[in-house]
Amino acid sequence: MRIDLHTHSTASDGTDTPAQLVRKAAATGLDVVALTDHDTTRGHAEAVAALPEGLTLVTGAELSCRLDGVSMHMLAYLFDPEEPALLAERELVRDDRVPRARAMVARLNELGVPVTWEQVARIAGDGSVGRPHVASALVELGVVPTVNDAFTADWLADGGRAHVDKHETDPFEALRLIKGAGGVAVFAHPAAAKRGRTVPETAIADLAAAGLDGIEVDHMDHDAETRARLRGTAKELGLLVTGSSDYHGSRKTCVLGEYTTDPEVYGEITRRAFGAFPVPGAGGA
Ligand SMILES: [Zn+2]
Ligand SMILES: [Zn+2]
């Protein structure tokens, strides 16, 4: 059984529509895929409608959090998407995305980069605009060769010259909200240092004590040594270990199913969640 628990569609900053994404997931031989767009569940309905037979969809989202000034991402699975407190917090985060992207464009203009808001908005299309769209604009303009090269201190990495903070949820509050909506919480790529500063690994123990279910260990941004260390941390704290592609379509280099989650861990996630159930594909349109 092949299980990929972290993907993005055009509902946030991926390049495949939710329908394209589930078709690709089936074609690539996945049995289970989670759709975890940033701070939104907007893509779920389309993914469900297009779900091929033999593929199971786990509904989810990746919540933008910040701990002591450091950004971090919390994956939430199988929560009730209508639960009012979690819904309100997601909206608060999302509504901040346009002003923030505009502010990054203004910073870039000050740095002499002729990027425009119209360009960034066109790249985002109807996805919720974010930093990767600004990064793609920098690639279009020839300022950097690849999107990854835009995520540096010179440009858009956390604390970088053109970086602007966004509203992000306190992770302990996020845990409370996810749990309150019947979901399961997994700390995404906790040691992905090349994206900017990461929270100290001692914070994982505090989050575990506050109800964190697991950590994403097998991820493209973790090297072998980091994975081994995180696996040890998870074992010590009794946390689940997941692996995922963090697929963004053509915006990033990883492919669907590049990293996967153990079926036993997946089983445990579905047992703990009570906000929503995995959706088995019935051979959608
Ligand atoms: Zn993330
Ligand atoms: Zn992600």
Side-chain angles (χ1 to χ4, degrees), residues 99-195:
R100 178 192 183 226
R102 281 182 176 277
M104 284 191 279
V105 167
R107 291 263 175 98
L108 286 165
N109 292 159
E110 283 165 22
L111 293 167
V113 178
V115 62
T116 63
W117 166 247
E118 287 67 31
Q119 184 189 5
V120 173
R122 169 179 54 74
I123 292 167
D126 51 36
S128 55
V129 65
R131 197 162 31 159
H133 300 123
V134 182
S136 289
L138 292 181
V139 175
E140 263 188 17
L141 290 165
V143 174
V144 290
T146 71
V147 163
N148 281 341
D149 294 304
F151 282 82
T152 60
D154 271 350
W155 303 110
L156 298 170
D158 288 351
R161 293 189 303 165
H163 178 255
V164 175
D165 274 339
K166 59 179 168 180
H167 173 83
E168 292 167 313
T169 308
D170 175 89
F172 294 94
E173 172 69 0
L175 287 175
R176 203 182 61 75
L177 293 169
I178 294 164
K179 298 281 150 170
V184 169
V186 172
F187 186 173
H189 45 75
K194 67 181 176 191
R195 294 168 176 239

Side-chain angles (χ1 to χ4, degrees), residues 6 8 13 36 38 62-63 72-75 188-189 192 195 216 219 221 246 248 252:
H6 185 168
H8 297 270
D13 57 358
T36 52
H38 295 287
E62 185 173 21
L63 307 182
M72 54 170 283
H73 290 167
M74 188 75 79
L75 290 160
H189 45 75
R195 294 168 176 239
E216 190 179 53
H219 184 281
D221 291 347
D246 202 355
H248 279 73
K252 289 189 182 173

Side-chain angles (χ1 to χ4, degrees), residues 1-280:
M1 197 151 104
R2 294 187 66 225
I3 301 155
D4 187 341
L5 291 181
H6 185 168
T7 71
H8 297 270
S9 75
T10 49
S12 63
D13 57 358
T15 57
D16 291 343
T17 65
Q20 286 169 336
L21 189 141
V22 292
R23 287 191 204 112
K24 279 191 191 173
T28 197
L30 285 173
D31 301 284
V32 178
V33 70
L35 181 60
T36 52
D37 278 304
H38 295 287
D39 305 300
T40 184
T41 58
R42 218 156 53 88
H44 291 175
E46 185 186 322
V48 169
L51 202 60
E53 212 176 328
L55 179 68
T56 295
L57 178 73
V58 169
T59 51
E62 185 173 21
L63 307 182
S64 307
C65 296
R66 183 158 55 213
L67 182 62
D68 298 333
V70 180
S71 291
M72 54 170 283
H73 290 167
M74 188 75 79
L75 290 160
Y77 297 116
L78 300 172
F79 55 87
D80 173 0
E82 303 298 333
E83 197 283 320
L86 180 55
L87 188 64
E89 182 61 25
R90 288 203 311 279
E91 278 169 0
L92 202 60
V93 171
R94 227 170 38 233
D95 289 350
D96 188 47
R97 288 188 157 249
V98 169
R100 178 192 183 226
R102 281 182 176 277
M104 284 191 279
V105 167
R107 291 263 175 98
L108 286 165
N109 292 159
E110 283 165 22
L111 293 167
V113 178
V115 62
T116 63
W117 166 247
E118 287 67 31
Q119 184 189 5
V120 173
R122 169 179 54 74
I123 292 167
D126 51 36
S128 55
V129 65
R131 197 162 31 159
H133 300 123
V134 182
S136 289
L138 292 181
V139 175
E140 263 188 17
L141 290 165
V143 174
V144 290
T146 71
V147 163
N148 281 341
D149 294 304
F151 282 82
T152 60
D154 271 350
W155 303 110
L156 298 170
D158 288 351
R161 293 189 303 165
H163 178 255
V164 175
D165 274 339
K166 59 179 168 180
H167 173 83
E168 292 167 313
T169 308
D170 175 89
F172 294 94
E173 172 69 0
L175 287 175
R176 203 182 61 75
L177 293 169
I178 294 164
K179 298 281 150 170
V184 169
V186 172
F187 186 173
H189 45 75
K194 67 181 176 191
R195 294 168 176 239
R197 277 205 299 152
T198 58
V199 301
E201 285 181 27
T202 50
I204 297 175
D206 299 336
L207 292 165
L212 181 71
D213 292 285
I215 55 177
E216 190 179 53
V217 172
D218 294 310
H219 184 281
M220 63 182 300
D221 291 347
H222 293 157
D223 60 21
E225 193 185 315
T226 302
R227 286 177 209 181
R229 188 179 71 246
L230 287 173
R231 238 177 262 285
T233 304
K235 193 168 183 192
E236 218 171 273
L237 298 170
L239 292 168
L240 302 173
V241 164
T242 68
S244 314
S245 66
D246 202 355
Y247 176 73
H248 279 73
S250 60
R251 205 175 305 278
K252 289 189 182 173
T253 50
C254 57
V255 295
L256 270 169
E258 187 170 340
Y259 298 103
T260 55
T261 293
D262 188 282
E264 270 181 41
V265 171
Y266 169 63
E268 183 58 27
I269 288 172
T270 61
R271 272 189 293 279
R272 290 186 192 183
F274 57 89
F277 296 99
V279 184

